[in-house]
């Protein structure tokens, strides 16, 4: 007779069905009793011992912590230890197309989400998103909730390990949107993630660690992700760039944007790479205008003025620093310099109206204030020169004193040489 | 005993005069040098009569000239400071340097908010950011009323 083997360690369900009786019951009792206190439904359910991989993935999940059981998504009976009965009405694998509705079962439930302060419009947003639209059209590969949040091991957005943590969002979106083959099948470009990495937004997020820096979701939306329409672009950018948005309404480009003939901000800055350097932006003028057009000329005049102002501000700032280091009181000058800087800083957002007069007004305000600072610094520099001249008499004094000591020494030596020795006196 | 006292008796009077003049110059020089070194020491040890202290204080003017809902700009130690009278008995002072890109903020009496003219950052009367790009609140300074004057302590 073949000896009875207990296979519970690797396959509890199989063990329960094969080794009926006291051995299995005893093992399961031990499992239950030795389970760490505080573990939620999944750990104490009969799923965990067989579905080791999923259990491990769920370890840090917010769902596990809040008592969401495997069966809440997959069905089945968590109290049943017999595999057949436990899996009776189980959905083997939730179909990808059903995921949004399944998650929405809880996440669109206002009462259920209320204590967590979570929004409950994600499902409706998803359904109106480009992802949701494509899903409805039968694309079963399109992203649903689990593609961004994972199926098991869903973490809070505040967790740095979460795929939807701000620093991880570009990578999460880039998994599909940077996949050339996947995007090609849908007639899309796969360059957006790579371009974003070169943008000023990515530099803020990755280099400076600014978690409030825009990611893909900031402009496109997260659950309701859609590419913004041409007319909406200024509103999308204007969420953060408030001043630029306000000023742009006075720009000659505003009306064409409203009519859908000009792509607003992205026409000059591009959408994902977000050009910032005036030289790069200047090249964009040529897409619509001839070089003889007054527009590009105005652009050149504006940026020449800005460059001049910045150079003057920097020069004065350096003089200010030098005099502060030299021990002069420069507090009042510093306040004035800050005011000049404020006027200068207003020019960059202000130039979006492409109005040379506004730029000129701000630049001359900055210049006048800087001139005042420069006058004051000039006085201090004069004083510094006078102080340096004071070293001349001090060094002169030291040289004279050295000369006097030398003469004294010579005189003493001379006297000592001419004086009679003690023997001569006798 | 001085060198003069040791001078031989048969030495010429002109040489003795030169030596005494040389000694005089040396003594004068040493005295001036000692004085130059002693002066800063005495100045350091002399009890301070004004100023000093670790904290700087600046007056924002009399309370009676400060209407509720108004603000004033003052400066101390090279820092622009905005002082607000938010209520009858509530004065608050903040650094007027915007936490976004360092522009000098202004008081907007119409909305009762502090605004940055550069990138439209808005702060409330508590110095906390209300909207726009500023990443954090304005730094706050202590305000006290001393003899009817609004005094900001840095």
């Amino acid at each position: 007779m073949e000896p009875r083997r207990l296979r519970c360690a690797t396959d509890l369900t199989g063990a329960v069905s094969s080794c009926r009786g006291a051995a299995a019951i005893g093992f399961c009792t031990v499992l239950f009793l030795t389970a760490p206190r505080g573990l939620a439904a999944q750990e104490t359910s009969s799923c965990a011992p067989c579905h080791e991989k999923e259990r491990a993935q769920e370890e840090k999940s917010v769902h596990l912590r809040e008592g969401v059981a495997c069966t809440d998504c997959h069905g089945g009976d968590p109290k049943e230890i017999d595999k057949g009965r436990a899996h009776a009405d189980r959905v083997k694998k939730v179909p990808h197309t059903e995921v949004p509705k399944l998650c929405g079962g809880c996440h669109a439930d206002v009462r259920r989400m209320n204590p967590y302060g979570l929004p409950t419009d994600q499902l409706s947003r998803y359904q109106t998103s480009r992802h949701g639209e494509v899903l409805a059209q039968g694309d079963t590969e399109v992203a649903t909730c689990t593609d961004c949040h994972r199926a098991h091991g869903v973490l809070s957005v505040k967790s740095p390990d979460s795929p939807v943590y701000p620093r991880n969002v570009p990578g999460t979106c880039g998994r599909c949107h940077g996949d050339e083959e996947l995007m090609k099948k849908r007639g899309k470009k796969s360059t957006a993630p790579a371009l974003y990495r070169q943008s000023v937004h990515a530099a803020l997020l990755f280099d400076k660690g600014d978690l409030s820096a825009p990611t893909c979701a900031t402009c496109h939306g997260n659950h309701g992700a859609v590419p913004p329409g041409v007319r909406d672009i200024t509103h999308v950018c204007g969420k953060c760039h408030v001043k630029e948005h306000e000023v742009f309404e006075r720009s000659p480009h505003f009306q064409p944007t409203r009519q859908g003939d000009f792509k607003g901000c992205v026409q000059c800055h591009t959408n994902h790479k977000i050009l910032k350097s005036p030289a790069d932006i200047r090249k964009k003028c040529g897409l619509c205008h001839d070089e003889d057009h007054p527009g590009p000329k105005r652009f050149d005049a504006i940026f020449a003025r800005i460059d001049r102002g910045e150079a003057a501000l920097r020069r004065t700032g350096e003089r200010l620093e030098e005099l502060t280091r030299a021990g002069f009181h420069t507090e009042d000058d510093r306040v004035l310099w800050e005011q000049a800087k404020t006027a200068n800083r207003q020019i960059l957002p202000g130039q979006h109206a492409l109005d040379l007069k506004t730029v000129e007004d701000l630049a001359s305000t900055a210049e006048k204030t800087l001139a005042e600072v420069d006058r004051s610094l000039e006085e201090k520099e004069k004083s510094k020169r006078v102080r340096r001249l004071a070293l001349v008499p001090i060094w002169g004094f030291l040289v004279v004193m050295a000369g006097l000591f030398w003469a004294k020494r010579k005189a003493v030596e001379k006297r000592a040489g001419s004086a009679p020795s003690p023997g001569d006196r006798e | 005993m001085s060198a003069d006292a040791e001078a031989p008796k048969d030495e010429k009077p002109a040489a003795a005069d030169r030596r005494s003049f040389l000694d005089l110059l040396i003594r004068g020089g040493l005295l001036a040098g000692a004085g130059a070194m002693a002066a800063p020491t005495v100045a350091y040890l002399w009890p301070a009569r004004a100023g000093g202290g670790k904290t700087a204080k600046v007056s924002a003017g009399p309370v009676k000239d400060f209407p509720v809902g108004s603000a004033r700009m003052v400066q101390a130690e090279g820092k622009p400071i905005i002082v607000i009278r938010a209520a009858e008995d509530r004065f608050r002072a903040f650094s007027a340097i915007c936490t976004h890109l360092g522009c000098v903020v202004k008081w907007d009496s119409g909305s009762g908010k502090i605004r940055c003219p550069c990138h439209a950052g808005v702060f409330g009367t508590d110095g906390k950011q209300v909207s726009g790009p500023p990443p954090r609140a304005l730094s706050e300074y202590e305000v006290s009323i001393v003899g009817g004057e609004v005094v900001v302590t840095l």
Side-chain angles (χ1 to χ4, degrees):
Chain A
M1 188 181 164
E2 196 186 337
R4 291 180 70 180
R5 282 181 298 167
L6 191 65
R7 290 181 289 147
C8 303
T10 52
D11 186 349
L12 173 67
T13 321
V16 171
S17 55
S18 59
C19 47
R20 296 174 202 285
I25 292 167
F27 175 76
C28 292
T29 309
V30 169
L31 256 186
F32 181 79
L33 291 174
T34 55
R37 294 282 175 267
L39 284 187
Q42 290 169 23
E43 192 69 10
T44 54
S45 77
S46 58
C47 311
C50 299
H51 298 281
E52 266 297 319
K53 188 178 139 204
E54 288 77 10
R55 196 203 67 80
Q57 287 172 339
E58 277 290 276
E59 209 145 69
K60 291 179 184 167
S61 154
V62 283
H63 287 154
L64 176 71
R65 203 177 62 208
E66 296 306 322
V68 178
C70 314
T71 49
D72 290 330
C73 298
H74 295 281
D77 185 350
K79 293 187 180 72
E80 187 55 66
I81 53 173
D82 176 80
K83 182 180 177 181
R85 286 201 292 275
H87 283 186
D89 62 343
R90 171 180 168 264
V91 180
K92 194 174 179 188
K93 189 176 178 189
V94 180
H96 198 59
T97 50
E98 294 301 316
V99 169
K101 278 186 191 161
L102 178 71
C103 300
C106 293
H107 283 276
D109 183 337
V110 177
R111 286 206 169 170
R112 203 155 180 179
M113 290 300 114
N114 235 3
Y116 305 102
L118 290 175
T120 48
D121 59 348
Q122 290 111 323
L123 179 60
S124 56
R125 279 180 178 270
Y126 177 80
Q127 283 164 342
T128 55
S129 75
R130 190 69 193 132
H131 292 146
E133 280 175 2
V134 173
L135 183 75
Q137 286 162 14
D139 184 341
T140 54
E141 282 183 314
V142 74
T144 63
C145 319
T146 51
D147 290 291
C148 301
H149 293 277
R150 298 184 191 138
H152 299 110
V154 174
L155 300 176
S156 159
V157 68
K158 287 176 250 171
S159 163
D161 294 329
S162 166
V164 290
Y165 184 70
R167 276 179 72 93
N168 302 333
V169 167
T172 300
C173 300
R175 277 208 335 263
C176 296
H177 288 273
D179 183 330
E180 198 179 339
E181 199 183 322
L182 194 68
M183 289 296 111
K184 207 172 175 182
K185 273 202 280 184
R186 288 159 179 80
K188 305 266 179 212
K189 286 182 186 169
S190 57
T191 50
L195 290 171
Y196 172 81
R197 289 269 170 179
Q198 300 169 49
S199 75
V200 62
H201 293 156
L204 274 176
L205 182 69
F206 296 116
D207 301 342
K208 292 200 171 172
D210 181 352
L211 295 180
S212 67
T215 64
C216 320
T218 315
C219 303
H220 294 279
N222 39 27
H223 299 101
V226 281
V230 168
R231 274 179 246 181
D232 301 327
I233 284 167
T234 52
H235 297 294
V236 171
C237 303
K239 284 190 292 186
C240 299
H241 300 280
V242 182
K243 190 80 178 184
E244 287 84 346
H245 184 208
E246 184 190 306
V247 171
F248 183 72
E249 292 188 3
R250 303 202 303 269
S251 155
H253 291 145
F254 181 62
Q255 277 310 322
T257 303
R258 290 195 81 173
Q259 288 156 12
D261 299 331
F262 188 84
K263 293 181 191 166
C265 317
V266 303
Q267 187 81 45
C268 304
H269 294 276
T270 73
N271 49 5
H272 296 111
K273 195 173 175 183
I274 318 292
L275 301 175
K276 197 186 171 196
S277 123
D280 287 335
I281 293 167
R282 174 67 175 80
K283 289 176 198 156
K284 298 284 173 188
C285 301
L287 295 176
C288 307
H289 302 294
D290 293 331
E291 276 304 305
D292 297 335
H293 190 274
K297 284 180 184 160
R298 203 183 300 170
F299 181 98
D300 293 338
I302 287 171
F303 276 89
R305 194 75 177 88
I306 291 173
D307 288 346
R308 212 164 69 225
E310 280 295 326
L313 191 72
R314 203 167 40 246
R315 260 195 322 271
T316 306
E318 282 164 7
R319 286 173 73 191
L320 192 62
E321 285 301 320
E322 200 181 317
L323 286 166
T324 309
R325 276 198 301 274
F328 284 89
H329 281 290
T330 53
E331 292 87 350
D332 293 349
D333 305 312
R334 184 164 295 280
V335 171
L336 280 175
W337 184 82
E338 292 286 355
Q339 284 168 2
K341 187 180 83 177
T342 301
N344 233 30
R345 290 276 184 276
Q346 288 178 66
I347 301 176
L348 268 181
Q351 57 80 29
H352 283 84
L354 294 177
D355 170 18
L356 196 54
K357 191 184 174 301
T358 309
V359 172
E360 195 57 53
D361 288 349
L362 285 166
S364 47
T365 305
E367 261 176 12
K368 277 178 201 158
T369 316
L370 273 186
E372 203 177 324
V373 181
D374 283 336
R375 273 196 299 278
S376 166
L377 295 185
E378 186 61 45
E379 289 298 314
K380 291 184 173 74
E381 280 166 351
K382 262 186 209 164
S383 164
K384 195 177 162 191
R385 283 194 291 273
V386 169
R387 286 185 200 191
R388 272 195 191 145
L389 284 176
L391 282 175
V392 175
I394 293 171
W395 277 102
F397 170 77
L398 291 174
V399 169
V400 167
M401 284 302 288
L404 288 174
F405 279 119
W406 179 81
K408 180 70 184 171
R409 187 183 164 191
K410 283 280 171 197
V412 170
E413 280 172 358
K414 192 178 169 189
R415 270 205 314 279
S418 61
S421 66
D424 293 342
R425 280 184 191 169
E426 287 168 11
Chain B
M1 191 177 275
S2 75
D4 294 336
E6 289 170 1
K9 284 179 181 164
D10 58 346
E11 201 172 358
K12 291 176 184 172
D17 286 349
R18 268 204 309 276
R19 269 204 310 281
S20 63
F21 179 66
L22 187 63
D23 288 347
L24 190 70
L25 282 179
I26 290 175
R27 281 185 195 128
L30 286 175
L31 196 68
M37 284 191 283
T41 314
V42 172
Y44 176 73
L45 294 173
W46 204 262
R49 281 177 295 180
K54 202 176 174 184
T55 54
K57 288 178 192 284
V58 61
S59 169
V63 175
K64 63 181 174 55
D65 297 344
F66 216 131
V68 174
S70 69
R72 252 187 221 163
M73 296 292 281
V74 292
Q75 60 190 62
E77 295 187 343
K79 295 169 189 164
I81 297 161
I82 186 165
V83 188
I84 302 165
R85 187 169 192 179
E88 191 62 39
D89 58 348
R90 194 153 55 95
F91 288 88
R92 298 188 82 162
F94 304 99
S95 158
I97 299 291
C98 180
T99 53
H100 178 223
L101 288 179
C103 292
V104 179
V105 296
K106 287 178 180 167
W107 173 247
D108 178 10
S109 55
S111 63
K113 299 271 189 292
I114 301 167
R115 286 180 188 276
C116 176
C118 293
H119 298 94
V122 181
F123 300 89
T125 51
D126 54 0
K128 289 182 181 153
Q129 62 274 51
V130 173
S131 67
R136 58 185 180 280
L138 297 169
S139 308
E140 187 165 7
Y141 298 116
E142 193 187 313
V143 184
S144 52
I145 308 295
V146 181
E149 291 262 322
V150 182
V151 175
V152 181
T153 307
L154 265 71

